[in-house]
Amino acid sequence: MRVVDSHFHWFPRSHFETMAARSAYPRTERVGDGYRYRYHDGRGFIPLPAIWFDLELGLETARAATGPDTVVVCTTGVLAGMLDQMPATEALDEAHAYNEEIAKAQRTHAGRFFGTAAVPLQDTSAALAVLDHAVRSLDLRGVNLPSMIGEETVDQERLEPFYARVAELGVPLIIHPTDLAFNDVLTGYADGLQRSLGRLLDSSVTVLRLIFSGVMERHPSLRVVQTHAGGLLPYQAGRIDKNARIEGLPALPSHYLRRIFVDTVAPQALTIRTALEYYGADNVLYGTDHPCWSPRAAVAVLDEADLDDEVRAKIYTNAASVFPLG
């Protein structure tokens, strides 16, 4: 069985080097053989040791957990919004360079590694051009969506052509937490509030913006993948239906929420079982969050959830059609 890890992080070292050459934030700083990423305001940092750009080691680690036929889908992860915090022209140049490197890795590791696109959204026309090139020319299999575009949110009316084109191309939007939306208020405790709760709030609000703004209503074929088992949303779906009275939305928010695909990057069996009950086995994808989490731990939590063989097989293979991988 070909197992698909839908939540895997890798960056070409050239990207970190480009970001290290910047004098303004966001940027990276060299630390030994690795880097650390400084946010758009210079506060806080994410350590980026060599595992973040050692693709061979990452692929080996993935296969060691689930077998030699394991393939990975590479996403931008918590760094998804970095380009949208940069000047538009610079962001476009780096997006093209990043996407070309991801596509090169996809060709080099054909059938084992699949890439997804970085698309800066400051300028809608430019975003459409980057999107088309990434999917149609480079054959990347998804599009990463940040929570913020500079000071703008993702539900701007000007982005309607972008969402329409993503739906038309048949690739999913990947919504992963960033540190852009709530980092200002969830401070302290060695970033414990932001990393544990803030990031889940970030991705959950991003999904709700797509629902409340009518993007998912207007584009019923649009596929959205939310990481970390749906964040906070499946636990509060009833409250969302009760309290979110959205004018012009013909169905309750939960109608659209159940269309979301989520992954199993959640280190608790109860969370896995809740995701399966709420979204259904067809909408839950295997993921490891490598190198932020261990592929062996990702398998262990599925063991702990005590899933039957049919459900587990679905989880391991669903991503092949969502992205799609062929």
Side-chain angles (χ1 to χ4, degrees), residues 8-256:
F8 177 97
H9 303 308
W10 171 78
F11 283 81
R13 187 161 189 163
S14 60
H15 169 71
F16 290 145
E17 283 294 307
T18 298
M19 296 299 289
R22 301 191 79 239
S23 58
Y25 299 113
R27 71 177 188 229
T28 57
E29 299 169 351
R30 296 182 187 89
V31 180
D33 191 43
Y35 305 83
R36 62 184 176 189
Y37 172 71
R38 289 282 185 185
Y39 298 116
H40 63 290
D41 57 4
R43 292 184 296 118
F45 66 89
I46 301 173
L48 301 166
I51 186 64
W52 282 84
F53 48 86
D54 187 337
L55 183 53
E56 291 293 345
L57 179 57
L59 293 174
E60 180 183 332
T61 303
R63 292 194 297 268
T66 46
D69 294 330
T70 300
V71 305
V72 304
V73 178
C74 178
T75 67
T76 56
V78 76
L79 306 184
M82 59 192 168
L83 297 180
D84 295 277
Q85 309 304 309
M86 294 163 59
T89 301
E90 187 181 359
L92 284 172
D93 289 344
E94 183 53 22
H96 279 298
Y98 172 86
N99 290 339
E100 290 283 355
E101 287 294 325
I102 294 294
K104 179 180 178 181
Q106 182 171 283
R107 293 191 300 271
T108 301
H109 301 277
R112 295 193 297 148
F113 174 97
F114 296 92
T116 59
V119 179
L121 298 174
Q122 296 99 320
D123 179 274
T124 307
S125 296
L128 289 169
V130 174
L131 171 65
D132 269 12
H133 181 256
V135 176
R136 300 183 68 186
S137 298
L138 299 181
D139 196 30
L140 300 184
R141 307 305 173 93
V143 182
N144 297 276
L145 183 71
S147 60
M148 300 291 294
I149 309 151
E151 298 300 318
E152 289 185 302
T153 52
V154 298
D155 48 3
Q156 303 300 308
E157 186 176 350
R158 69 174 180 83
L159 292 174
E160 184 68 18
F162 169 76
Y163 293 121
R165 186 60 174 150
V166 174
E168 183 180 2
L169 289 169
V171 294
L173 281 175
I174 304 149
I175 298 178
H176 185 287
T178 69
D179 290 314
L180 299 176
F182 300 100
N183 198 39
D184 289 344
V185 294
L186 294 174
T187 59
Y189 303 100
D191 289 333
L193 291 173
Q194 171 62 16
R195 290 174 183 263
S196 59
L197 182 62
R199 288 179 175 174
L200 298 185
L201 181 60
D202 178 299
S203 65
S204 297
V205 169
T206 302
V207 168
L208 288 184
R209 287 189 182 279
L210 295 181
I211 293 174
F212 290 177
S213 66
V215 167
M216 294 192 68
E217 166 64 25
R218 292 188 294 275
H219 306 290
S221 65
L222 180 65
R223 296 197 295 274
V224 175
V225 176
Q226 183 184 4
T227 56
H228 302 288
L232 309 177
L233 296 177
Y235 309 97
Q236 294 299 330
R239 180 177 176 83
I240 293 168
D241 280 348
K242 171 180 172 291
N243 288 359
R245 301 174 179 86
I246 310 301
E247 184 177 354
L249 202 63
L252 291 171
S254 60
H255 169 78
Y256 309 97

Side-chain angles (χ1 to χ4, degrees), residues 211 237 253-261 277-280 283:
I211 293 174
S254 60
H255 169 78
Y256 309 97
L257 188 57
R258 290 182 186 276
R259 278 174 41 193
I260 302 292
F261 296 89
E277 181 176 347
Y278 188 80
Y279 296 99
N283 283 42

